[in-house]
Amino acid sequence: MTEKKQAGYNKKMQKNDTRERQECPYHKKCGGCEYSGIPYEEQLQKKEKRVAKLLREFGKVEPIVGMSYPYYYRNKVHAVYAQKKNGEVICGTYEKDSHRVVDIESCLLENKGSTAIIRDIRGLLRSFKIKPYNEDTGYGLLRHVLVRHAHATGEVMVVLVLASPVMPSKNNFVKALRKMHPEITTVVLNINGRNTSMVLGEQEKVLYGKGYIVDELMGMRFRISAKSFYQVNPIQTKHLYQGAISLADLSGKERVLDAYCGTGTIGMIASRDAKEVVGVELNRDAVRDAVTNAKTNQVKNICFVCQDATEYICKAAANKEHFDVVLMDPPRAGSTKEFVDAVISLEPDRVVYVSCNPETLARDLKWFCRAYRVETIRPYDMFPLTGHVETVVLLSHKKAI
Ligand code: SAH
């Protein structure tokens, strides 16, 4: 972007800042914020309507919980780097449904500090003669950069995703980057040599700092590694977790299952009001973080199992284990019929389903309705400016009238 263009762009962004409706100049190409340009109130209504349409048959939908300032909320920012024919290095995101890179100067969704780090890395590449990786030719080194920001502590992790393990002058590169951004607390190299749409590869090497960041949420400290899942909107996460845990209505006596638990966040916060919590999660790194998190926070009534949630619960059902409450927060694909059947046979009094996809939620609720009644449906806007919507549903067992 030329200086003149940049000045015009900044002016436009500043003007937008004061208005209720913000429009991103890249949104048509990038596709990251499909609700760009739509007033926030209208975005919320659209989401509420979508949830109501999909879940009408299960009950009344409560008003959506929105944000007071719905911009720059994403704590995890990812960019891809590419070199244009004229040699200029650009960075941003892939154009919708393609592998062409859209050069992005600023983004309404992303934490501003993280975007600045991504832009400054672009400048450093030139000085360090590091070439972006070219997917077609297989030439070049840097594929992606991931920046994770801990909202409460301010810790920042930069993950440099390379196509091969050798990075020339890596220590000087980190030094130069930290000079520009002293807020960076850790830098990790991740090697992804495969031809894949996955951003991160298996192999990792810590270049600087601890190799993870620590965030604080609702009075607890959580360790986050490059690969573990952590909610991307820190402000809304607090509301979402508070809502989900209060619907679970814990008295201190319950045995709780936190299925699809990630780094154990929901379960650990719930453990304060429960007798015992079991967290189940498939991702090894997330489970490792969860175990450490429990130790750091001195939570003694929680344990974690690294297993497929369906496999775990089917075995628990076969062993006639007892759970009073099941909290579940599956990925977009939702849960499985086997999981729901096993929950039904375990007969917990309440199930709190946290969903990031109302379509799969509707499917799973149909299965639950054989034995459970839907008590509450509450959408949360975790992803302003996008079409995504999160929903929390409370189910209670039909036998408990
Ligand atoms: N409750 C957590 C994580 C929710 S995201 C939080 O709020 O942070 C969904 C999680 O489900 C991810 O951590 C993902 O790794 C995990 N997951 C995906 N498929 C799974 C499966 N089949 N069994 C168990 N966990 C799974």
Side-chain angles (χ1 to χ4, degrees):
M1 204 183 260
T2 62
E3 258 176 43
K4 201 172 153 202
K5 250 188 173 171
Q6 177 67 50
Y9 169 77
N10 286 346
K11 216 168 146 193
K12 192 171 167 192
M13 284 301 238
Q14 271 160 16
K15 203 167 135 205
N16 280 341
D17 265 346
T18 58
R19 291 194 322 214
E20 190 192 353
R21 162 221 300 248
Q22 290 210 26
E23 189 160 1
C24 168
Y26 310 106
H27 84 271
K28 285 206 177 102
K29 273 192 167 173
C30 149
C33 50
E34 61 266 47
Y35 283 4
S36 172
I38 300 177
Y40 189 51
E41 270 310 311
E42 207 177 308
Q43 292 179 34
L44 292 176
Q45 278 166 21
K46 271 173 175 281
K47 295 188 188 192
E48 216 176 278
K49 270 194 194 143
R50 182 163 159 237
V51 175
K53 195 170 163 204
L54 284 162
L55 303 182
R56 188 172 295 137
E57 62 181 290
F58 303 105
K60 195 168 169 296
V61 175
E62 288 187 5
I64 187 165
V65 180
M67 293 186 82
S68 50
Y69 183 72
Y71 305 106
Y72 310 110
Y73 58 83
R74 266 195 84 95
N75 59 13
K76 182 166 100 174
V77 171
H78 158 247
V80 56
Y81 290 72
Q83 189 157 22
K84 291 204 332 201
K85 285 209 176 77
N86 64 5
E88 188 195 345
V89 174
I90 56 170
C91 64
T93 180
Y94 287 121
E95 206 169 297
K96 217 184 204 165
D97 306 322
S98 95
H99 265 211
R100 260 191 313 273
V101 176
V102 191
D103 192 24
I104 290 182
E105 205 65 42
S106 170
C107 169
L108 289 171
L109 268 50
E110 298 171 355
N111 169 274
K112 281 184 183 169
S114 304
T115 314
I117 292 172
I118 280 168
R119 302 300 299 172
D120 288 335
I121 288 177
R122 185 186 71 148
L124 284 181
L125 294 184
R126 210 173 306 137
S127 347
F128 281 83
K129 296 194 172 54
I130 296 171
K131 293 238 183 299
Y133 179 73
N134 181 320
E135 282 187 337
D136 300 327
T137 63
Y139 184 67
L141 185 64
L142 183 73
R143 296 182 77 137
H144 313 264
V145 170
L146 187 77
V147 183
R148 300 190 86 161
H149 172 247
H151 181 74
T153 61
E155 292 188 17
V156 176
M157 171 196 280
V158 174
V159 185
L160 305 167
V161 187
L162 306 184
S164 58
V166 184
M167 180 178 184
S169 325
K170 52 180 187 287
N171 294 336
N172 286 336
F173 185 90
V174 170
K175 229 187 231 166
L177 181 60
R178 286 206 61 250
K179 200 164 170 207
M180 297 171 95
H181 292 281
E183 71 276 19
I184 296 173
T185 50
T186 189
V187 181
V188 177
L189 266 195
N190 177 284
I191 293 92
N192 187 355
R194 290 167 304 168
N195 227 344
T196 156
S197 59
M198 296 278 286
V199 173
L200 296 175
E202 272 298 310
Q203 209 183 327
E204 260 180 30
K205 190 169 174 224
V206 179
L207 288 189
Y208 174 79
K210 302 177 287 207
Y212 58 86
I213 50 170
V214 175
D215 200 9
E216 265 171 33
L217 189 67
M218 298 168 78
M220 288 201 172
R221 289 173 76 77
F222 294 106
R223 162 179 165 155
I224 308 149
S225 317
K227 278 182 244 164
S228 13
F229 179 90
Y230 191 64
Q231 297 281 347
V232 296
N233 184 332
I235 293 158
Q236 288 297 83
T237 299
K238 200 172 130 195
H239 300 305
L240 178 78
Y241 285 2
Q242 256 162 0
I245 292 168
S246 84
L247 287 175
D249 195 20
L250 301 172
S251 67
K253 294 194 190 115
E254 294 82 2
R255 185 163 192 252
V256 178
L257 176 68
D258 178 12
Y260 308 90
C261 71
T263 52
T265 39
I266 301 182
M268 286 194 14
I269 294 163
S271 74
R272 296 192 278 221
D273 305 317
K275 183 165 168 245
E276 189 192 344
V277 180
V278 180
V280 181
E281 162 65 47
L282 195 56
N283 180 313
R284 249 182 301 127
D285 291 341
V287 173
R288 202 185 333 109
D289 286 351
V291 170
T292 314
N293 288 336
K295 274 197 199 127
T296 312
N297 294 294
Q298 297 181 343
V299 178
K300 304 222 164 65
N301 59 342
I302 197 163
C303 67
F304 296 98
V305 182
C306 183
Q307 198 176 3
D308 169 73
T310 301
E311 266 176 35
Y312 172 84
I313 200 158
C314 287
K315 211 163 144 206
N319 293 340
K320 299 214 167 9
E321 274 193 49
H322 177 75
F323 286 104
D324 301 288
V325 173
V326 170
L327 301 168
M328 56 189 285
D329 184 7
R332 292 187 58 73
S335 192
T336 63
K337 173 99 172 33
E338 293 74 27
F339 182 97
V340 176
D341 286 343
V343 175
I344 289 174
S345 79
L346 283 167
E347 297 191 334
D349 295 336
R350 291 176 293 288
V351 176
V352 179
Y353 192 140
V354 180
S355 156
C356 56
N357 182 351
E359 261 104 21
T360 52
L361 173 63
R363 179 203 63 198
D364 295 354
L365 287 182
K366 266 205 184 101
W367 296 331
F368 268 118
C369 279
R370 197 151 54 79
Y372 283 82
R373 201 175 33 238
V374 174
E375 304 282 359
T376 310
I377 306 173
R378 190 185 300 153
Y380 285 82
D381 193 18
M382 302 297 286
F383 316 103
L385 292 164
T386 78
H388 297 294
V389 59
E390 192 91 4
T391 315
V392 176
V393 173
L394 168 66
L395 296 143
S396 67
H397 202 283
K398 283 183 181 164
K399 70 174 184 203
I401 305 208

